[in-house]
Structure formats: structure tokens, C-alpha cells
Amino acid sequence: MLKHVAEGVLVHESEFIQSNCTVVQGRDGVLLIDPGITVNEMAALANDLRELGQPVVAGFSTHPDWDHVLWHPDFGDSPRYGTARCAASIRDVLSNVDWKEQVAEGLPPEHAEEIPMDLLGLITGLPTETAQIPWDGPTVRILEHQAHAPGHAALLVEGAGVLVAGDMLSDILMPFLDLQAADPLDDYLEALRLFETVADNVVAVIPGHGSVGGSGQLRERVTMDRAYVQALRDGREPDDPRIGPSAPLEWLAEVHGWQMQRLAARGQD
Ligand SMILES: [Zn+2]
């Protein structure tokens, strides 16, 4: 089911950790951002769009994690974009002969059978410094930053004032750092500052997983994510409701613990 977020912007929420697919209406069809997870929900979305007379004219993946680079044949074969770094990173994965087995290891067992691998990761990298999505629709600015994953980008749908945040600014997930990066904590703080620079123009924020936030939520979520990252930087246990006793996802505290350990281990290198 597609929900209206703002003028010309709709969202479809998956069962799998509230993954959001964002649909932006253009002149002759739609831009699909992070298309979805299971084969059935993507087929249903393709069907809904067909009934609305809105073909998919472009796709975009916010980053190269499996849950953001899936696709369904019914979406057609329009270009699927990502940043140059995003495309290079997923191309690297696909260059392994056993990539399907490697990716399968990270899939949630309860959905693994329903996740279509065939068109996974076929992303066209946009040249570095590309400022907006090349398509016939409202201006969609690309805000690339180094934080959650290589080549991660948020998209700002100008006019509508919607920030599609990728795996940042979630109300249910604390920051997941890119632990392969040289300075994961500084990178994350810098990305949050980048988001603040557009806050005055944003009336809705769509995280990769979690609830769509209304006006004011961007700043609130930046504050919450920053507090988490600063606590890690200072070696303190964060006071964060997303990993506390009443957290919506009970397994998250464990991921947080693992993340703390990995950071501590890096510090001793
Ligand atoms: Zn994700």
C-alpha cells in the first residue's frame, strides 16, 4: 500500500524492519528509491504503479547493502542509479563467483526465500559530484556522505521538501557505523551536519527503516543520532531509547554491543 507523504512523494513500507521504498512522481513516470525487499511486495508495488498509470522511469539505491539494491522485473529496465562509490562497492560484491552464497548468509532467515537475487545490485554509478538525479521530474538533490556505508547518499526532493535519508535518521535503528572506514565516528558526525544544512527546507524525512517523520523530525533525529555517536566517541554507554529496555527492536541492543566492541578493538590497533 502506498502512503502519501508530500506533494508527489509516496512511500511503501515493507514488513522487513519497516524498510521504506520511496516513490517520486515525475512527468512521465516515477523514480523508485530503494525499491523494496520481497518479490511479492515489489510485484504488488509494480502493479499499483501500473494501475496509477505511472511507469518506473528511474531507480536509485541509497547505498550498496543488499536490502537497498533489489529490483523486480515488473519495474522494467529503466536505469538504476547510485553514487559512483555505491556502484563500485556492489560491483565488487558481484564480481565474486559465489556472491549469491555470500549475500545469502546475511539475509533474514524468515524472508530469505522471498528475496529475489537475480537483479540485485545492477546499479549505474553517477559520476562523482553529480548534484541531482538525471530525470524528467522534480529536482532531486544527491547528498553524498561517508557514514553508514560506502557511497551512501540521501536524496532531497526539492519543492516537496522531503529528505530520503537512506539508513540514517531512523526512529527505530541507532546509527550503524561504517566500521571499514578510517574515521567512522567523525564521518558520521559530519554527515549529520550535512543534513542540518537542509533542515530548514525539509517537511518530511523518510528513513531507510522506520517511521516517516514530519516537520521538525529531521532536527530531532539528528540530535538523537549525534548523542549516540558522541557517546561512543567518549567511551560512554549511550542513553538511547532505540537500544534501551523498551526498544522497538529487541535484537538491536546486541548489535550495539557488537559495534562498541569493534570500535574498542580498533582503538587498540
Ligand atoms: Zn538498510
Side-chain angles (χ1 to χ4, degrees):
M1 196 187 60
L2 280 165
K3 276 192 242 160
H4 178 266
V5 172
E7 182 65 39
V9 182
L10 304 156
V11 74
H12 176 269
E13 187 186 290
S14 165
E15 262 178 55
F16 171 68
I17 43 173
Q18 285 182 261
S19 301
N20 290 311
C21 163
T22 304
V23 175
V24 185
Q25 282 170 343
R27 215 186 56 175
D28 304 315
V30 302
L31 164 69
L32 272 193
I33 307 166
D34 294 350
I37 308 296
T38 69
V39 67
N40 286 342
E41 74 192 8
M42 286 193 283
L45 174 59
N47 198 46
D48 287 351
L49 293 171
R50 196 177 311 119
E51 281 173 6
L52 292 169
Q54 297 280 350
V56 177
V57 294
F60 188 87
S61 288
T62 55
H63 62 289
D65 289 348
W66 70 267
D67 52 326
H68 299 263
V69 291
L70 297 167
W71 194 255
H72 191 285
D74 291 355
F75 292 145
D77 55 4
S78 44
R80 295 163 55 188
Y81 299 118
T83 65
R85 277 201 188 96
C86 168
S89 168
I90 194 72
R91 204 179 307 121
D92 229 35
V93 172
L94 299 181
S95 69
N96 297 304
V97 276
D98 63 342
W99 71 265
K100 279 193 183 171
E101 286 82 48
Q102 287 184 15
V103 172
E105 278 172 23
L107 298 180
E110 69 277 24
H111 292 293
E113 297 294 309
E114 317 161 315
I115 294 168
M117 305 279 264
D118 287 344
L119 299 172
L120 183 150
L122 305 180
I123 304 298
T124 300
L126 292 166
T128 311
E129 309 297 325
T130 302
Q132 46 182 269
I133 304 278
W135 81 308
D136 198 359
T139 301
V140 178
R141 257 173 69 197
I142 301 168
L143 305 174
E144 184 175 354
H145 48 274
Q146 300 311 311
H148 170 70
H152 194 279
L155 296 180
L156 178 64
V157 186
E158 287 187 348
V162 176
L163 184 75
V164 183
D167 278 2
M168 314 272 295
L169 308 182
S170 170
D171 59 330
I172 58 166
L173 299 176
M174 82 289 173
F176 280 42
L177 305 171
D178 179 3
L179 291 163
Q180 313 290 333
D183 293 303
L185 296 167
D186 284 348
D187 287 348
Y188 216 99
L189 293 171
E190 194 175 320
L192 295 174
R193 281 194 292 274
L194 172 67
F195 292 157
E196 275 178 327
T197 64
V198 299
D200 288 345
N201 306 317
V202 168
V203 297
V205 55
I206 304 176
H209 309 275
S211 321
V212 175
S215 141
Q217 273 291 304
L218 190 153
R219 285 185 197 281
E220 266 184 44
R221 293 186 186 190
V222 165
T223 301
M224 193 160 64
D225 280 357
R226 181 179 285 140
Y228 177 90
V229 176
Q230 284 175 339
L232 263 55
R233 189 191 58 190
D234 302 345
R236 285 181 285 115
E237 184 59 34
D239 175 20
D240 190 309
R242 296 169 294 187
I243 51 172
S246 52
L249 300 169
E250 61 193 14
W251 48 268
L252 212 54
E254 202 175 312
V255 180
H256 157 66
W258 170 85
Q259 187 157 250
M260 289 276 269
Q261 274 174 16
R262 288 277 307 272
L263 270 179
R266 284 169 58 105
Q268 287 154 11
D269 283 350

